[in-house]
């Protein structure tokens, strides 16, 4: 039974305990929800006004138009672009927080933060075309923050956002400009989507989808700036050896799980935990404080500091069922509201921190950048207090953890390649792609979903692509899956990589001082860090003088579920990348929208969605796409 729900080995220990304790998990609720609403699955349910809800009969017998006259194409298109708007809002709100924090640091207002990576800040300034000559670090930070915040303020429709302009190939920008889908202002574009999808507004599915693509590109803009400014503030990732899965929770430590997305909170919690370690020991925790990560906050601190990852999305509740998490500190996004109830079943303090993200039953510690240290101290003290209430008889920490070598940002990938060719670091990568040692590159991203046995599609696809010599990058819960299942190890490279891929990864890893190959899948970070993968692709495309839609590059979200994944997938398509989805998107109630996203997009943008629920077939299809692209390049 367990294996149908999840392939995470720690679930086999913990699900029976959940049952015994009377705790319902995401999988219980999924089962209770069956059968799920078919109209919703097809995207033909419209709740945009309250003459409705309306739904279109997919079999053609019942109503083909809603009460206002909207047909399935209009309804599906409106629904999907509202998802994009929500996803873009989440990512760019995260980005805005980081940009405002950078501004605060520049102005000396935020004692908890500093510019930890000055070189990165300078590189970002150069990228944004900001002159830094004779400027000190605070002045550069101020100028970078200003240029970034313009992406939320610019009112000139013809002037694209600064970050997107600095982040794509020239050809791609021209192509997107010609379609009028380059965003000029993240907030405005999101607002436009909400406005044009009101009752009685935009009814043209093509026009709606183009508006959605613009929203998705605003999402991309928000991600680029979130990633790069976080690097400047908190450090740029470099390879680090750590571990993943629930076995990283320690029986004799005060365990604090940081969960959500935004590093502004988790970074300070990590720092303060170090300072309060002695207090935890005094409370009886002989291993002091142990921070573990969940979801993308987990990925952020994992790639920057080697903090171990306890869980990806679907196993967040299992972390609590170990009975050994003393505090779960959450910020924004992907936090199941059920965690407060489960925490209450045990001794766990579930702590919300963001004014706009509260959960009934959780403790709220208001987090503001200005008073971050105080809040973090309160959070850590709450965890130590909770630890004192922990019942050791209810502790069940599964004995599963895997080593994971993580932290492959653009800088570290280029740095590793530079050990082979210092003058022209990209050359070895390009050579190996051209000669076929590496057939292509696949970026795995996105969530877990209860529609797929947790992690199974990620792992199945990765093993097949590896055997076929595809270089793999990963972010988000995809990265979490691979880390938990041991695919971010050198052993995995030796076991699963095809011969030529193995040879390349070994050559790079060895010359970069790793004493063996690079791991089979390179962990690039959180969801916003998908922008890192694009940066690598843009560098390769620029060097070859081609556009992104010519590269043997594919993306896959085999277990996607979040509206954010809809936004990411759509910009991926807009950048020219064939993008696989392994869960059924809620658009199939409109043949027109489905065709737009899976076929017309190919002509307009070069990228397109490819939906395949079977991970084996999906891998085959991506391999075919890669070969087609190679042919196009004549390699
Ligand atoms: Ni942002 S969005 S479930 S945590 S990847 Fe994980 Fe990643 Fe999806 Fe959420």
């Amino acid at each position: 039974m367990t294996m149908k729900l999840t392939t995470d080995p720690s679930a086999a220990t913990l699900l029976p305990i959940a049952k015994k304790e009377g705790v319902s998990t995401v999988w219980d609720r999924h089962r209770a929800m069956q059968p799920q609403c078919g109209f919703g699955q097809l995207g033909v349910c419209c709740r945009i006004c309250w003459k409705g809800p309306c739904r279109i009969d997919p079999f053609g017998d019942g109503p083909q138009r809603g009460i206002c006259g909207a047909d399935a194409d209009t309804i599906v298109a409106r629904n999907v672009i509202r998802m994009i708007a929500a996803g873009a809002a989440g990512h760019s709100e995260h980005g805005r927080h980081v940009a405002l924090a950078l501004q605060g640091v520049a102005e000396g207002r935020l004692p908890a933060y500093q510019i930890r990576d000055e070189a990165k800040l300078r590189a970002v300034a150069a990228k944004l075309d900001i002159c830094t000559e004779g400027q000190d670090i605070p002045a550069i930070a101020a100028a970078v923050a200003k240029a970034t915040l313009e992406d939320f303020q610019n009112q000139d429709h013809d002037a694209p956002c600064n970050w997107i302009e600095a982040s794509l190939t020239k050809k791609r920008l021209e192509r997107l400009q010609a379609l009028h889908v380059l965003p000029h202002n993240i907030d405005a574009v999101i607002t436009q989507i909400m406005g044009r999808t009101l009752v009685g507004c935009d009814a043209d599915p093509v026009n709606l989808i183009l508006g959605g693509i613009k929203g998705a590109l605003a999402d991309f803009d928000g991600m680029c700036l979130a990633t790069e400014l976080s690097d400047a503030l908190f450090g740029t990732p470099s390879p680090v050896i750590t571990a993943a899965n629930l076995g990283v929770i320690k029986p004799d430590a005060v365990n604090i799980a940081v969960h959500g997305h935004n590093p502004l909170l988790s970074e300070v919690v990590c720092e303060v935990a170090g300072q309060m370690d002695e207090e935890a020991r005094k409370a009886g925790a002989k291993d002091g404080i142990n921070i573990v990560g969940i979801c993308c906050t987990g990925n952020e601190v994992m790639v920057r500091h080697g903090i171990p990852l306890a869980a990806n999305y679907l196993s967040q509740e299992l972390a609590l069922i170990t009975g050994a998490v003393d505090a779960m500190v959450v910020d924004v996004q992907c936090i199941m509201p059920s965690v407060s109830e489960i925490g209450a079943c045990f001794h766990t303090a579930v702590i919300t921190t963001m004014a706009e993200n509260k959960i009934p039953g959780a403790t709220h510690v208001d987090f503001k950048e200005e008073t971050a240290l105080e809040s973090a101290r309160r959070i850590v003290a709450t965890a130590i207090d909770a630890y004192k209430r922990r019942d050791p008889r209810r502790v069940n920490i599964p004995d599963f953890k895997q080593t994971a070598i993580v932290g492959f940002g653009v800088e570290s990938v280029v740095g590793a390649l530079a050990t082979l060719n210092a003058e022209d670091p990209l050359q070895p990568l390009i050579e190996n792609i051209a000669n076929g040692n590496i057939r292509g590159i696949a970026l795995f991203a996105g969530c877990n979903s209860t529609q797929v046995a947790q992690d199974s599609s990620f792992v199945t696809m990765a093993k097949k692509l590896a055997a076929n010599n595809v270089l793999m990058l990963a972010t988000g819960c995809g990265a979490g899956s691979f880390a938990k299942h041991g695919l971010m190890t050198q052993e995995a490279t030796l076991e699963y990589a095809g011969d030529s891929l193995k040879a390349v990864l070994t050559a790079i890893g060895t010359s970069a001082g790793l004493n063996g190959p690079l791991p089979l899948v390179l962990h690039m970070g959180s969801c916003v860090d998908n922008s890192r993968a694009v940066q690598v692709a843009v560098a390769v495309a620029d060097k070859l003088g081609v556009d992104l839609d010519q590269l043997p590059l594919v993306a896959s979200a085999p277990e996607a579920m979040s509206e954010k994944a809809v936004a990411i997938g759509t910009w991926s398509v807009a950048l020219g990348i064939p993008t696989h989805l392994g869960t059924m998107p809620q658009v199939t109630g409109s043949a027109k929208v489905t065709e737009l996203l899976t076929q017309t997009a190919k002509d307009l943008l070069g990228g397109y969605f490819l939906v395949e629920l079977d991970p084996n077939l999906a891998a085959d299809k991506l391999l075919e796409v890669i070969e087609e692209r190679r042919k196009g390049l004549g390699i």
Side-chain angles (χ1 to χ4, degrees), residues 91 260-261 295-296 299 313 334 446-448 476-477 527 561-562 564:
H91 288 137
H261 279 77
C295 281
C296 278
N299 287 321
Y313 178 73
C334 301
C447 326
N448 285 149
C477 287
C527 292
M561 62 92 202
S562 167
K564 292 178 289 168

Side-chain angles (χ1 to χ4, degrees), residues 294-314:
I294 298 182
C295 281
C296 278
T297 285
N299 287 321
E300 295 269 351
V301 291
M302 186 186 212
V303 295
R304 290 207 178 86
H305 310 302
I307 302 277
L309 186 81
N312 55 354
Y313 178 73
L314 276 184

Side-chain angles (χ1 to χ4, degrees), residues 17-32:
I17 292 168
K19 196 162 184 196
K20 196 177 99 213
E21 298 273 2
V23 170
S24 81
T25 67
V26 67
W27 292 287
D28 298 314
R29 296 187 298 273
H30 174 84
R31 193 167 43 232

Side-chain angles (χ1 to χ4, degrees), residues 13-199:
T13 314
L14 291 168
L15 286 180
I17 292 168
K19 196 162 184 196
K20 196 177 99 213
E21 298 273 2
V23 170
S24 81
T25 67
V26 67
W27 292 287
D28 298 314
R29 296 187 298 273
H30 174 84
R31 193 167 43 232
M33 197 54 65
Q34 302 311 310
Q36 285 171 268
C37 171
F39 297 105
Q41 282 171 331
L42 297 172
V44 293
C45 167
C46 182
R47 290 182 52 255
I48 276 170
C49 88
W50 31 295
K51 300 191 298 311
C54 298
R55 72 261 181 287
I56 304 304
D57 182 340
F59 303 111
D61 301 332
Q64 294 303 297
R65 287 186 182 264
I67 296 170
C68 73
D71 64 9
D73 298 329
T74 301
I75 292 173
V76 167
R78 284 177 178 168
N79 286 341
V80 74
I81 78 169
R82 280 197 169 198
M83 287 183 138
I84 293 173
H91 288 137
S92 39
E93 190 59 12
H94 165 169
R96 187 206 320 266
H97 274 239
V98 179
L100 289 171
L102 182 71
Q103 190 181 50
V105 170
E107 293 167 2
R109 284 187 285 107
L110 302 180
Y113 302 95
Q114 55 198 289
I115 310 292
R116 289 212 195 122
D117 192 338
E118 297 185 356
K120 180 71 180 235
L121 180 69
R122 286 181 195 281
V124 165
K127 180 174 176 155
L128 293 174
D129 248 341
I130 294 169
C131 170
T132 56
E133 228 181 86
Q135 305 282 316
D136 61 6
I137 287 295
I140 299 172
V144 167
K146 182 167 175 279
T148 301
L149 291 167
E150 274 169 18
D151 284 4
F152 297 89
Q153 289 151 354
N154 169 43
Q155 302 303 331
D156 176 357
H157 284 247
D158 298 324
C161 286
N162 292 326
W163 274 91
I164 201 165
E165 258 206 314
S167 304
L168 294 179
T169 59
K170 197 161 164 280
K171 283 185 185 150
R172 184 58 30 181
L173 287 167
E174 284 165 7
R175 194 151 173 183
L176 297 172
Q177 182 77 295
L179 289 167
H180 306 289
V181 293
L182 274 181
H184 68 291
N185 170 327
I186 296 171
D187 289 345
V189 168
I190 293 169
T191 305
Q192 271 169 6
I193 291 181
M194 298 313 285
R196 74 195 297 165
T197 53
L198 277 169
V199 60

